[in-house]
Amino acid sequence: MNAATDTAAAPTAPRTGPPLLEARGLHASYGAVEALHGIDFHVNKGETIVFLGANGAGKTTMLRSICRLVSTKGELLFDGESVVGKSATAVIRKGIATVPQGRGTLTDLSVEDNLRAGAYLRKDRGAIGAEIERWYEVFPRLGQRRRISAGSLSGGEQQMLAVSRALMSAPRLLLLDEPSLGLAPLIVEQVYAVLADVQKQGQDLAIVLVEQNANIALELASRAYVLEAGQIAVEGTATELNDNEAVRRAYLGY
Ligand SMILES: Nc1ncnc2c1ncn2[C@@H]1O[C@H](COP(=O)(O)OP(=O)(O)OP(=O)(O)O)[C@@H](O)[C@H]1O
Ligand SMILES: [Mg+2]
């Protein structure tokens, strides 16, 4: 079903040149089990897209394909270059940062060491201290807990830390796997407000978001792909998906 794409062209994020990331006929497998069955999608520079879908639809596998943690077939281009066959480290070096499902903080390290670890590949070492301070202003709770181990933070604080840690690497593409999962609505709003701010500061950062919380994700993303059993069931602009009652009822749950 491609109901959303069949409707009139709605505004999307401005396109400046070729996509930052583009997949054509992407398949991903865990051993003999194929989880993605030929996906086409793209993200433009500075754009935010979201993959929506139920449990097991293949959302996390989508992100693992991009950061090279699962084996894939088909085309996957970052900045015009194939990343198929590249290592996870090589992809990080190219400017792709990930906030995995379940946060991905280094639980034994302090909050501050987590932020420093996020910046380990950066060459502008002098800017790092000031940037850490800036994150403490954005999330004062992290500043108050800078010497405490990340493992003793609350779920919301860990999500804030995971997002700031990923952004400390000054990425060109940020991958976020269900940042709202298990968080109180107020904390979800706070995390999304920060993402919206980061997006507005307009440093050309593109975001690939994975969410089951379609409502909040479609406020941040300009376009969405709905995954169903490893295939794209629906795609379109956030407005198109929100305005399509059948899509909303079948896939978005509101
Ligand atoms: N390590 C693995 N080994 C084998 N199969 C896996 C592995 N990880 C995921 N799968 C399978 O791949 C499919 C897609 O899983 P994936 O984790 O990408 O779904 P998801 O959309 O992220 O789900 P959720 O919303 O529950 O996180 C599922 O059928 C799952 O069982
Ligand atoms: Mg998942």
Side-chain angles (χ1 to χ4, degrees):
M1 177 164 105
N2 244 340
T5 27
D6 293 342
T7 56
T12 52
R15 246 189 105 131
T16 48
L20 181 65
L21 180 74
E22 185 168 24
R24 287 191 220 111
L26 187 72
H27 295 252
S29 307
Y30 298 100
V33 181
E34 191 175 89
L36 296 178
H37 316 294
I39 305 282
D40 294 338
F41 79 91
H42 70 274
V43 196
N44 294 322
K45 291 184 177 120
E47 188 188 29
T48 299
I49 64 160
V50 60
F51 284 99
L52 302 166
N55 291 120
K59 304 181 300 297
T60 295
T61 306
M62 199 63 247
L63 296 188
R64 285 194 191 129
S65 303
I66 302 169
C67 61
R68 307 314 302 157
L69 295 174
V70 64
S71 80
T72 65
K73 281 190 296 185
E75 271 185 72
L76 186 62
L77 303 170
F78 181 68
D79 214 8
E81 263 181 56
S82 177
V83 296
V84 176
K86 294 260 190 304
S87 69
T89 315
V91 167
I92 294 170
R93 281 184 198 279
K94 281 176 172 291
I96 301 181
T98 309
V99 178
Q101 194 166 344
R103 324 277 182 254
T105 51
L106 304 164
T107 49
D108 291 339
L109 294 188
S110 70
V111 165
E112 186 141 327
D113 286 344
N114 264 275
L115 293 172
R116 283 194 193 288
Y120 79 105
L121 282 173
R122 272 173 64 168
K123 301 205 171 66
D124 53 340
R125 311 297 304 172
I128 291 166
E131 212 162 300
I132 289 177
E133 289 304 320
R134 197 170 58 82
W135 282 114
Y136 292 157
E137 279 167 33
V138 175
F139 295 124
R141 295 183 68 83
L142 292 185
Q144 290 154 12
R145 288 159 177 71
R146 62 180 79 187
R147 310 262 169 256
I148 290 175
S149 69
S152 54
L153 299 179
S154 73
E157 290 160 355
Q158 287 198 35
Q159 188 60 269
M160 292 168 196
L161 179 59
V163 169
S164 359
R165 185 170 90 102
L167 289 169
M168 281 299 295
S169 67
R172 286 191 285 164
L173 177 64
L174 177 67
L175 309 178
L176 290 162
D177 198 347
E178 301 208 40
S180 72
L181 193 71
L183 301 184
L186 251 164
I187 308 292
V188 172
E189 273 176 36
Q190 202 184 349
V191 169
Y192 268 83
V194 168
L195 292 172
D197 263 3
V198 167
Q199 212 185 32
K200 269 197 219 103
Q201 283 161 23
Q203 316 114 334
D204 249 8
L205 172 75
I207 302 176
V208 175
L209 180 65
V210 155
E211 267 292 1
Q212 287 195 50
N213 188 338
N215 213 342
I216 193 150
L218 290 173
E219 283 178 26
L220 187 75
S222 58
R223 290 186 301 113
Y225 297 88
V226 182
L227 281 172
E228 197 184 300
Q231 284 178 311
I232 291 174
V234 185
E235 63 180 277
T237 65
T239 316
E240 284 167 348
L241 264 73
N242 263 324
D243 289 353
N244 188 320
E245 207 185 320
V247 167
R248 228 175 40 226
R249 238 186 283 134
Y251 295 105
L252 310 183
Y254 57 92

